[in-house]
Amino acid sequence: MQRQISREQSRYLYRQVADLIRDMRENGTLRPGDRIPSLRHLAEKLQISVPTVKQAYEELERIGMLESRPKSGYYLTSFSHKSSTPRKSRMAKHAIAVTRQELVEQVHTAVHTPGTIPFGISNPVGALPNDKALARWTRRVMSSAREHAIGYGPFAGFEPLRRQLVLRYLDMGLSTQPEQLVITNGAQEALAISLQLFAKPGDVIAVESPCYFGILELIESLGMLAYEIPLCAETGISLDDVATAIDKHPIKACVFSSSITNPMGASISDADKQALVLLLESKGIGLIEDDVYGDLYFGQQRGKPAQCYSEKGLVITCSSFSKTAAPGHRVGWLLSPTLAGPAARLKRALSCSSALLNQWVLTEYLASGEYDRYLRQLRQVLYTNKERMRACILENDDSGLRLTNPAGGAVLWLELSRKTDGSELFHQALSAGMSIMPGSLFAPSERYRHCIRLSYGLPWSDKVEEALIKLLRIMSTLSQ
Ligand SMILES: Cc1ncc(COP(=O)(O)O)c(C=O)c1O
């Protein structure tokens, strides 16, 4: 390494350092998603000053080849001149009925086929299975609480868990109380309850486009109509689009993931969230905030929940531990300062209460501080996987696809050539041992037939990379 840096050369030292990093990327010594040597370490190795290395890193950061991550250091990104993001789709003409349940059912069964590489399942925890700590807490709770832990729990949820959530919201700058929280069976039940609090069959619900298919399934099963508001891959939902939509259509409520969306991984600024809440509340429209990916951010800090900006109580926040700890525990919640009472009554009617043992175990896990330690590691692993997956796609694609660079979460959204049918690709990929999610699932209309969602919520390995390259070959054939 030392030999490549020379004070004799006329080139600035910092440029030589930048070239060195570039070379290491090109020859595979460093891979996208890898942490590069710290400023001090490299300065010592090369016997140059820390500010010189810093200047080199800042230069590479400016062109997008490096990213500095909070409290962690500098990372090599999947930067490529070839990279372009999916295009924003057009505004919908009107709200439509959703008919996606059958397709979701078919895809879901196939996606869980054992032995397939699960690019189709958004399971962030799969990237860093955390069963040891949870298994330990399960044993401890069972031995200390015994039969109490498997009895019926309180309808609105285990009080100590709600207190833990209050503390977490306080950290996000939101003052709340246990009585404003209702524990549910995953975020899905929280979303179902919230929709029923704001709307009835036949009412119009605004959704992001593309949007998580579970929300569309709910709208379908509740006999409501969906109005699609297109997302920009980089900046998320546009306030102007929301204003136009509510002006022209009788929208009762919106379901938006203000912090990190699924499948685009887009996020909006806290200032825009505030303006969004102000706009919706001024028109008496409810905002159902789906925040399941909020803790899985890659940037400097977590986005604030839109709930922080509510003045009239028309925001309901829905979230869960499914993406951050244990999807199988089915522990989620909803938060509303004004509607927690009716929500708790609906919850009681629907499913009585949520599994007490799972709530208890999660409470201890949170209180021990192990959950936060795990979350920090999980975010890091997901970030590395994201960069690896993007780099592998950008290096091996010859079809000119477009892909997202998500602000967090565990999935990439790919816009393929118009000739490619995502469903056909789904079947061919499955035969070749991989699952993917076809784009048609993510909107009530057919606008995403040529798109797919890929998950990097899995332990990254050469086998995964080989499968991805195989998938890209199938895509290439289908695009011709
Ligand atoms: C955006 C989004 N919201 C809600 C859910 C449902 O979460 P849960 O498993 O906690 O019910 C999911 C699950 O994939 C999701 O991706």
Side-chain angles (χ1 to χ4, degrees), residues 14-213:
Y14 85 89
R15 290 242 167 92
Q16 295 182 49
V17 177
D19 287 346
L20 184 70
I21 301 289
R22 274 201 192 92
D23 289 350
M24 288 169 90
R25 184 187 203 264
E26 255 154 50
N27 66 27
T29 312
L30 285 173
R31 298 168 69 199
D34 280 350
R35 182 156 65 144
I36 63 165
S38 71
L39 297 174
R40 195 169 301 279
H41 179 84
L42 195 60
E44 257 172 45
K45 284 270 170 218
L46 299 176
Q47 294 178 357
I48 55 177
S49 71
V50 170
T52 304
V53 180
K54 190 159 194 279
Q55 198 177 357
Y57 284 12
E58 281 172 357
E59 172 77 11
L60 293 172
E61 198 179 8
R62 198 181 51 73
I63 60 164
M65 198 175 277
L66 285 191
E67 196 162 44
S68 78
R69 311 222 343 99
K71 295 188 198 135
S72 185
Y74 284 90
Y75 285 76
L76 207 59
T77 69
S78 51
F79 165 85
S80 160
H81 291 294
K82 268 171 67 183
S83 164
S84 50
T85 49
R87 285 164 287 214
K88 185 177 164 188
S89 67
R90 61 197 180 282
M91 283 292 271
K93 290 214 171 68
H94 36 252
I96 53 176
V98 188
T99 52
R100 282 288 173 273
Q101 263 172 345
E102 225 177 282
L103 184 60
V104 172
E105 212 165 284
Q106 282 172 16
V107 173
H108 245 258
T109 314
V111 152
H112 289 95
T113 308
T116 50
I117 305 259
F119 292 134
I121 307 172
S122 174
N123 177 25
V125 172
L128 184 67
N130 71 356
D131 33 49
K132 268 201 195 122
L134 279 178
R136 181 164 24 83
W137 281 115
T138 309
R139 282 195 301 274
R140 285 190 191 164
V141 170
M142 275 312 285
S143 71
S144 61
R146 299 213 176 95
E147 68 280 5
H148 298 298
I150 53 166
Y152 279 118
F155 300 125
F158 190 45
E159 168 86 13
L161 177 59
R162 290 189 282 154
R163 272 191 266 120
Q164 283 295 326
L165 290 172
V166 167
L167 292 176
R168 300 191 75 75
Y169 279 114
L170 201 58
D171 269 355
M172 297 174 216
L174 180 64
S175 166
T176 179
Q177 289 154 24
E179 302 72 47
Q180 297 174 352
L181 285 149
V182 179
I183 305 295
T184 55
N185 291 321
Q188 193 70 11
E189 192 181 41
L191 291 165
I193 293 171
S194 307
L195 277 168
Q196 291 171 82
L197 290 177
F198 281 134
K200 57 184 188 325
D203 282 345
V204 177
I205 307 298
V207 294
E208 294 156 346
S209 178
C211 131
Y212 166 55
F213 51 84

Side-chain angles (χ1 to χ4, degrees), residues 108 122-124 184-191 208 211-215 255 257 260-263 290-293 318-323 326-328 330-333 453:
H108 245 258
S122 174
N123 177 25
T184 55
N185 291 321
Q188 193 70 11
E189 192 181 41
L191 291 165
E208 294 156 346
C211 131
Y212 166 55
F213 51 84
I215 293 167
V255 186
S257 294
I260 290 156
T261 69
N262 172 11
D290 180 348
D291 201 25
V292 289
Y293 289 100
C318 302
S319 194
S320 72
F321 293 109
S322 304
K323 306 296 171 186
R330 309 306 302 136
V331 176
W333 64 90
R453 189 191 76 176

Side-chain angles (χ1 to χ4, degrees), residues 434-452:
M434 295 156 267
S435 70
I436 61 159
M437 275 284 165
S440 297
L441 254 63
F442 297 87
S445 65
E446 280 299 334
R447 62 177 76 192
Y448 300 119
R449 277 177 67 87
H450 63 303
C451 297
I452 59 164

